[in-house]
Short mmCIF file of all heavy atoms in Angstrom, two decimals:
data_model
loop_
_atom_site.label_atom_id
_atom_site.label_comp_id
_atom_site.label_asym_id
_atom_site.label_seq_id
_atom_site.Cartn_x
_atom_site.Cartn_y
_atom_site.Cartn_z
N GLU A 432 -0.32 15.88 14.39
CA GLU A 432 -1.54 15.10 14.56
C GLU A 432 -2.53 15.38 13.43
O GLU A 432 -3.18 14.46 12.91
CB GLU A 432 -2.18 15.41 15.91
CG GLU A 432 -1.44 14.85 17.10
CD GLU A 432 -1.56 13.34 17.21
OE1 GLU A 432 -2.46 12.74 16.57
OE2 GLU A 432 -0.75 12.74 17.94
N VAL A 433 -2.66 16.63 13.06
CA VAL A 433 -3.59 16.99 11.98
C VAL A 433 -3.12 16.41 10.66
O VAL A 433 -3.92 15.86 9.88
CB VAL A 433 -3.75 18.52 11.88
CG1 VAL A 433 -4.59 18.90 10.66
CG2 VAL A 433 -4.39 19.08 13.15
N LEU A 434 -1.83 16.49 10.39
CA LEU A 434 -1.29 15.95 9.14
C LEU A 434 -1.43 14.44 9.07
O LEU A 434 -1.65 13.87 7.99
CB LEU A 434 0.18 16.33 9.00
CG LEU A 434 0.48 17.79 8.65
CD1 LEU A 434 1.97 18.06 8.71
CD2 LEU A 434 -0.06 18.14 7.27
N ALA A 435 -1.30 13.77 10.21
CA ALA A 435 -1.36 12.31 10.22
C ALA A 435 -2.75 11.79 9.89
O ALA A 435 -2.90 10.73 9.28
CB ALA A 435 -0.90 11.77 11.58
N ASP A 436 -3.77 12.56 10.27
CA ASP A 436 -5.15 12.14 9.99
C ASP A 436 -6.04 13.37 9.78
O ASP A 436 -6.83 13.74 10.65
CB ASP A 436 -5.70 11.28 11.12
CG ASP A 436 -7.04 10.63 10.76
OD1 ASP A 436 -7.54 10.88 9.64
OD2 ASP A 436 -7.58 9.87 11.59
N PRO A 437 -5.92 14.02 8.63
CA PRO A 437 -6.68 15.25 8.39
C PRO A 437 -8.18 15.05 8.32
O PRO A 437 -8.94 16.01 8.46
CB PRO A 437 -6.12 15.75 7.05
CG PRO A 437 -5.56 14.54 6.39
CD PRO A 437 -5.04 13.68 7.49
N SER A 438 -8.63 13.82 8.13
CA SER A 438 -10.07 13.57 8.02
C SER A 438 -10.82 13.97 9.29
O SER A 438 -12.03 14.24 9.25
CB SER A 438 -10.33 12.09 7.71
OG SER A 438 -9.92 11.27 8.79
N LYS A 439 -10.12 14.02 10.42
CA LYS A 439 -10.75 14.41 11.68
C LYS A 439 -10.87 15.93 11.82
O LYS A 439 -11.51 16.41 12.77
CB LYS A 439 -9.93 13.87 12.86
CG LYS A 439 -9.87 12.37 12.97
CD LYS A 439 -9.01 11.97 14.16
CE LYS A 439 -8.91 10.46 14.31
NZ LYS A 439 -8.05 10.07 15.46
N HIS A 440 -10.25 16.66 10.91
CA HIS A 440 -10.11 18.10 11.11
C HIS A 440 -10.57 18.90 9.89
O HIS A 440 -10.09 20.01 9.65
CB HIS A 440 -8.65 18.42 11.43
CG HIS A 440 -8.07 17.57 12.51
ND1 HIS A 440 -8.34 17.77 13.85
CD2 HIS A 440 -7.25 16.47 12.45
CE1 HIS A 440 -7.71 16.85 14.58
NE2 HIS A 440 -7.05 16.05 13.76
N VAL A 441 -11.49 18.36 9.13
CA VAL A 441 -11.93 19.00 7.89
C VAL A 441 -12.67 20.30 8.18
O VAL A 441 -13.61 20.35 8.97
CB VAL A 441 -12.84 18.04 7.09
CG1 VAL A 441 -13.44 18.75 5.88
CG2 VAL A 441 -12.03 16.83 6.63
N ASN A 442 -12.21 21.37 7.54
CA ASN A 442 -12.84 22.70 7.61
C ASN A 442 -13.00 23.20 9.05
O ASN A 442 -14.00 23.82 9.41
CB ASN A 442 -14.19 22.69 6.90
CG ASN A 442 -14.05 22.39 5.40
OD1 ASN A 442 -12.95 22.38 4.85
ND2 ASN A 442 -15.16 22.11 4.75
N LYS A 443 -11.95 22.96 9.83
CA LYS A 443 -11.95 23.43 11.22
C LYS A 443 -10.83 24.45 11.43
O LYS A 443 -9.82 24.45 10.71
CB LYS A 443 -11.78 22.26 12.19
CG LYS A 443 -12.98 21.32 12.22
CD LYS A 443 -12.81 20.24 13.27
CE LYS A 443 -14.03 19.32 13.32
NZ LYS A 443 -13.87 18.27 14.35
N ALA A 444 -11.03 25.30 12.40
CA ALA A 444 -10.02 26.28 12.79
C ALA A 444 -9.73 26.10 14.28
O ALA A 444 -10.66 26.05 15.09
CB ALA A 444 -10.50 27.70 12.51
N TYR A 445 -8.45 25.98 14.61
CA TYR A 445 -8.06 25.73 16.00
C TYR A 445 -7.20 26.88 16.52
O TYR A 445 -6.34 27.41 15.81
CB TYR A 445 -7.25 24.44 16.09
CG TYR A 445 -8.02 23.20 15.72
CD1 TYR A 445 -7.66 22.45 14.60
CD2 TYR A 445 -9.09 22.75 16.49
CE1 TYR A 445 -8.35 21.29 14.25
CE2 TYR A 445 -9.78 21.59 16.16
CZ TYR A 445 -9.41 20.88 15.04
OH TYR A 445 -10.10 19.73 14.70
N SER A 446 -7.41 27.22 17.79
CA SER A 446 -6.56 28.18 18.48
C SER A 446 -5.45 27.41 19.18
O SER A 446 -5.71 26.60 20.07
CB SER A 446 -7.37 28.99 19.49
OG SER A 446 -8.35 29.78 18.84
N MET A 447 -4.21 27.66 18.76
CA MET A 447 -3.07 26.94 19.30
C MET A 447 -2.52 27.66 20.53
O MET A 447 -1.72 28.59 20.41
CB MET A 447 -1.98 26.82 18.22
CG MET A 447 -2.39 26.08 16.97
SD MET A 447 -2.46 24.27 17.22
CE MET A 447 -4.20 24.06 17.60
N ILE A 448 -2.96 27.25 21.70
CA ILE A 448 -2.66 27.98 22.93
C ILE A 448 -2.00 27.07 23.96
O ILE A 448 -2.55 26.02 24.30
CB ILE A 448 -3.94 28.60 23.51
CG1 ILE A 448 -4.49 29.63 22.52
CG2 ILE A 448 -3.67 29.23 24.87
CD1 ILE A 448 -5.87 30.07 22.81
N SER A 449 -0.82 27.49 24.42
CA SER A 449 -0.15 26.76 25.49
C SER A 449 -0.51 27.32 26.86
O SER A 449 -0.77 26.58 27.81
CB SER A 449 1.37 26.79 25.31
OG SER A 449 1.75 26.10 24.13
#
Side-chain angles (χ1 to χ4, degrees):
E432 288 289 343
V433 174
L434 287 173
D436 190 358
S438 66
K439 296 179 180 179
H440 310 283
V441 173
N442 297 349
K443 292 184 178 180
Y445 296 114
S446 295
M447 299 285 95
I448 296 166
S449 295

